[in-house]
Amino acid sequence: MILCARRARVPVGFLTAALVFAIGGAMIAVLLEVDRQRPAAVRAAELSYLPKGEYLKVAVLGYRQLAADLIWIKALQYFGVRTQTAAGYRWAYHAVDVLTDLDPKFAFAYQVAGTILSVAAGQIQESVAILTKGVRHNPEVWELSFFLGYDYFFELHDPVAAAKYFRLASMLPGSPEYLPKLAARMTVEAGDPDAALEFLQRLYQQVQDERLREGLAHRMKEVIAERDIQFLEEAVRRYKARYKTLPRRLEDLVTRGIILRIPEEPLGGVYELRGPEGTVASTTLRERLKVYRH
Amino acid sequence: MTVWCILVIAFNTFRENLRDRILYNLLFFALLLIGVSVLLGDLTIAEQKKIVTDMGLGAINLVGVIIAVFVGIGLVSKEIERRTVYTIMARPISRPQFILGKYLGLALTLTVNAVIMLGVFLATLWMDQAPIHGALFQAIQLIYVEWLVVTALALFFSTFSSSTLSAIMTLSFYVIGHLTEDFKGIAQKSHSEAVKAVMNGLYYLCPNLEVLNVKGQAAMGQAVLPSYQALASLYGLLYAALLITAACVVFQRRDF
């Protein structure tokens, strides 16, 4: 009898273990398949199902900051992806809008969302909206006013509004020492690309995120192109003053000794003379930065 | 003698809680906090310090509320179901002494929990080099008062209803307790005098647990005024005292 029981115990244990492994394995296999079949769009839309902040605030009882943190971690998966779709960024914006309703003091969330949406995603309206909300709730955080100033200056080409936010940022504790002077140069002499370039270089050193750096590097090249165009147009004016006619090609400026050489176009194109007024354009820079036009 | 009886029951309740392995939750709490802190260390733009602080305060609050509700509802009803209450009542112990002792016993368990959780929380903050403000201690003190109110609610309901019903009612009051500000809002917006009266009545009747919630400010390092802290604590303690008195009255009238 005892012998029988002993004999039986081994296979029962073995069978149980085998059964557990089989069920567990099957469960994981099914989960993987379900995960694969779940459309990416559905997964991405998760954040858009978030209820509005004003309702969620009530639903999470006293745990508003905690709920905001959890949504933030979720939103980071969208901001953190190197190549994100426009829809992905839109949902991430919605998530940050909701979580800042729950925790309006979450300054870092406004800052990350604001910069990535503008520099990396090109969604300027959303960036301005989230940063404006941030400045409203956290007037003491200089970074928020600073990046809002960036948006107004470089993206919306509004140096007056930019000046307001740069001034605000420069008066706050913790703001960089170079800011007041540089901001004044950028906004008072709005046509000075050198000041803008210096600003971008400082900003470039300040940010860590690769995408932001890429975005800023591209913006710097655009400003350099703008500076070159201004330089060439000035040369054309001098040419016209000396020879009473426009040059046929830009190379004439060099051969006739107005300038030493034609600068290299940083975006990979070339500079051309266009139109009867002697305007200069780049083949890659589609639109000139309005902010520098006098 | 009266105080001694209460203390004996309180200490026994505490020992019973320890036997029920209530303190195991602390392991869960510590693992959660340390886990979150380690995981977030990998994410560069996650703002680890803020999240660890929020998570610590939130988890301390929630763990305490869960203990207060689920241990609190069993304080009296379990004794009645197991009929152990008869052996206690046979001794020279009055019913209010029994209720008060039970309440203080659970309060002692919660105190031990609070102290250990606070220690783990501070250690995690220190490890993450997150700032430790005095405001955090204020928040935890007010969280403790909230637990006392929730324990009193659970004890009150458990004197006249079953465990399940007590749990449902206590949790409902916990939820309502965080929404009472809205009663006032509705009363202000309403044009009907009756609605105004009912909503205002509900506002004063239900516990206002939001006044004890300063977690948000504390995580930002903004302290509340000491006078506010004292008044909010006094409000919570008075509400708990009212509930315990009611529990004594109900328990006194019960037949068993």
Side-chain angles (χ1 to χ4, degrees):
Chain A
M1 191 60 192
I2 293 168
L3 213 72
C4 281
R6 266 194 199 149
R7 241 187 236 156
R9 203 176 291 153
V10 181
V12 166
F14 178 75
L15 278 178
T16 315
L19 196 65
V20 167
F21 272 110
I23 296 175
M27 183 199 74
I28 290 169
V30 171
L31 177 66
L32 284 175
E33 185 54 26
V34 168
D35 224 18
R36 205 180 58 79
Q37 287 194 11
R38 197 164 157 228
V42 171
R43 207 174 306 152
E46 268 174 0
L47 285 176
S48 65
Y49 296 137
L50 266 182
K52 276 187 172 175
E54 51 189 307
Y55 303 125
L56 204 59
K57 210 179 337 188
V58 178
V60 298
L61 303 177
Y63 300 91
R64 286 185 285 274
Q65 287 72 30
L66 196 57
D69 292 348
L70 295 177
I71 300 173
W72 175 237
I73 293 173
K74 188 104 185 149
L76 274 184
Q77 295 170 20
Y78 290 85
F79 282 127
V81 177
R82 219 180 140 64
T83 45
Q84 184 56 267
T85 58
Y89 280 126
R90 247 197 325 277
W91 287 315
Y93 162 74
H94 174 62
V96 174
D97 191 31
V98 170
L99 78 89
T100 48
D101 278 345
L102 293 178
D103 186 0
K105 289 297 207 180
F106 201 160
F108 195 66
Y110 296 107
Q111 190 188 325
V112 171
T115 48
I116 291 186
L117 282 171
S118 114
V119 181
Q123 299 194 351
I124 314 304
Q125 297 305 327
E126 284 83 357
S127 167
V128 169
I130 205 78
L131 285 170
T132 309
K133 186 178 174 190
V135 170
R136 194 168 63 240
H137 292 289
N138 304 274
E140 74 287 355
V141 181
W142 72 268
E143 287 96 336
L144 300 177
S145 302
F146 178 78
F147 284 115
L148 196 51
Y150 170 90
D151 273 358
Y152 273 110
F153 193 85
F154 287 100
E155 309 291 353
L156 298 176
H157 313 301
D158 181 352
V160 179
K164 182 180 132 195
Y165 288 108
F166 282 140
R167 221 177 12 254
L168 259 178
S170 64
M171 286 188 297
L172 291 170
S175 64
E177 279 174 26
Y178 65 79
L179 191 57
K181 247 189 216 166
L182 193 58
R185 251 178 80 201
M186 272 175 74
T187 49
V188 175
E189 311 156 31
D192 179 9
D194 280 328
L197 204 56
E198 192 187 334
F199 176 87
L200 289 173
Q201 275 159 353
R202 302 261 194 190
L203 192 55
Y204 185 85
Q205 285 157 7
Q206 197 179 309
V207 298
Q208 304 295 326
D209 189 275
E210 268 310 303
R211 273 168 308 161
L212 290 184
R213 287 188 146 209
E214 269 172 31
L216 290 172
H218 187 78
R219 189 32 63 95
M220 275 192 259
K221 286 179 184 166
E222 285 179 355
V223 176
I224 291 171
E226 177 61 37
R227 187 179 63 180
D228 291 347
I229 289 172
Q230 284 187 9
F231 167 74
L232 291 170
E233 283 182 344
E234 175 56 31
V236 169
R237 270 194 293 278
R238 274 189 287 146
Y239 184 98
K240 198 180 168 192
R242 192 182 295 176
Y243 300 105
K244 308 288 179 246
T245 174
L246 282 174
R248 280 185 301 118
R249 295 170 304 134
L250 283 178
E251 285 72 17
D252 294 350
L253 296 171
V254 183
T255 50
R256 294 289 187 96
I258 301 285
I259 52 173
L260 278 177
R261 58 181 187 87
I262 295 170
E264 200 180 319
E265 212 270 6
L267 294 158
V270 284
Y271 296 118
E272 289 174 344
L273 195 60
R274 277 187 199 162
E277 293 91 22
T279 47
V280 178
S282 152
T283 49
T284 45
L285 192 67
R286 254 179 285 155
E287 200 186 347
R288 285 186 60 180
L289 302 174
K290 289 185 202 112
V291 73
Y292 304 113
R293 294 199 186 158
H294 296 285
Chain B
M1 186 61 194
T2 313
V3 176
W4 181 245
C5 286
I6 294 172
L7 288 181
V8 167
I9 294 177
F11 193 66
N12 267 321
T13 309
F14 176 63
R15 278 205 315 203
E16 199 184 338
N17 288 338
L18 293 192
R19 267 204 305 277
D20 285 346
R21 300 188 172 84
I22 291 296
L23 295 181
Y24 272 18
N25 72 78
L26 295 172
L27 196 68
F28 159 77
F29 170 79
L31 285 177
L32 175 82
L33 252 197
I34 294 163
V36 164
S37 133
V38 170
L39 277 178
L40 291 180
D42 275 355
L43 296 170
T44 45
I45 49 172
E47 236 204 351
Q48 185 189 13
K49 290 171 190 169
K50 177 198 183 299
I51 297 182
V52 168
T53 313
D54 287 343
M55 196 74 86
L57 286 174
I60 288 177
N61 197 339
L62 198 60
V63 166
V65 167
I66 290 171
I67 295 177
V69 173
F70 290 98
V71 181
I73 53 165
L75 282 179
V76 176
S77 56
K78 217 158 75 179
E79 299 274 356
I80 297 172
E81 276 160 27
R82 287 188 196 154
R83 309 196 183 281
T84 40
V85 73
Y86 296 114
T87 55
I88 300 167
M89 288 297 113
R91 290 165 188 270
I93 291 172
S94 71
R95 292 186 179 195
Q97 278 173 347
F98 172 73
I99 291 286
L100 217 56
K102 281 278 168 192
Y103 181 76
L104 289 180
L106 184 49
L108 183 61
T109 309
L110 288 171
T111 312
V112 172
N113 263 280
V115 170
I116 300 175
M117 284 197 283
L118 180 63
V120 174
F121 180 44
L122 292 180
T124 320
L125 289 183
W126 181 74
M127 270 184 338
D128 290 332
Q129 293 165 347
I132 297 174
H133 314 282
L136 292 178
F137 295 93
Q138 279 187 328
I140 291 173
Q141 188 266 323
L142 289 177
I143 286 173
Y144 183 75
V145 176
E146 186 187 76
W147 295 349
L148 291 181
V149 175
V150 175
T151 307
L153 275 169
L155 181 71
F156 171 66
F157 289 125
S158 83
T159 51
F160 60 85
S161 64
S162 70
S163 299
T164 316
L165 204 56
S166 302
I168 293 171
M169 288 199 280
T170 312
L171 284 173
S172 309
F173 267 79
Y174 177 69
V175 173
I176 293 169
H178 282 282
L179 306 175
T180 53
E181 304 271 332
D182 295 325
F183 291 155
K184 229 178 172 180
I186 294 169
Q188 275 166 359
K189 280 181 194 154
S190 173
H191 298 297
S192 152
E193 283 304 315
V195 171
K196 266 186 190 171
V198 169
M199 285 298 155
N200 274 327
L202 280 175
Y203 175 72
Y204 291 109
L205 187 71
C206 298
N208 185 344
L209 299 177
E210 269 302 304
V211 298
L212 301 170
N213 177 20
V214 294
K215 292 195 290 285
Q217 292 107 292
M220 300 292 300
Q222 292 165 352
V224 290
L225 286 175
S227 58
Y228 174 84
Q229 192 188 359
L231 273 178
S233 305
L234 185 66
Y235 164 75
L237 292 177
L238 286 174
Y239 199 93
L242 199 67
L243 283 170
I244 295 165
T245 314
C248 289
V249 171
V250 173
F251 196 59
Q252 192 83 2
R253 293 185 175 187
R254 270 193 77 158
D255 260 348
F256 49 71

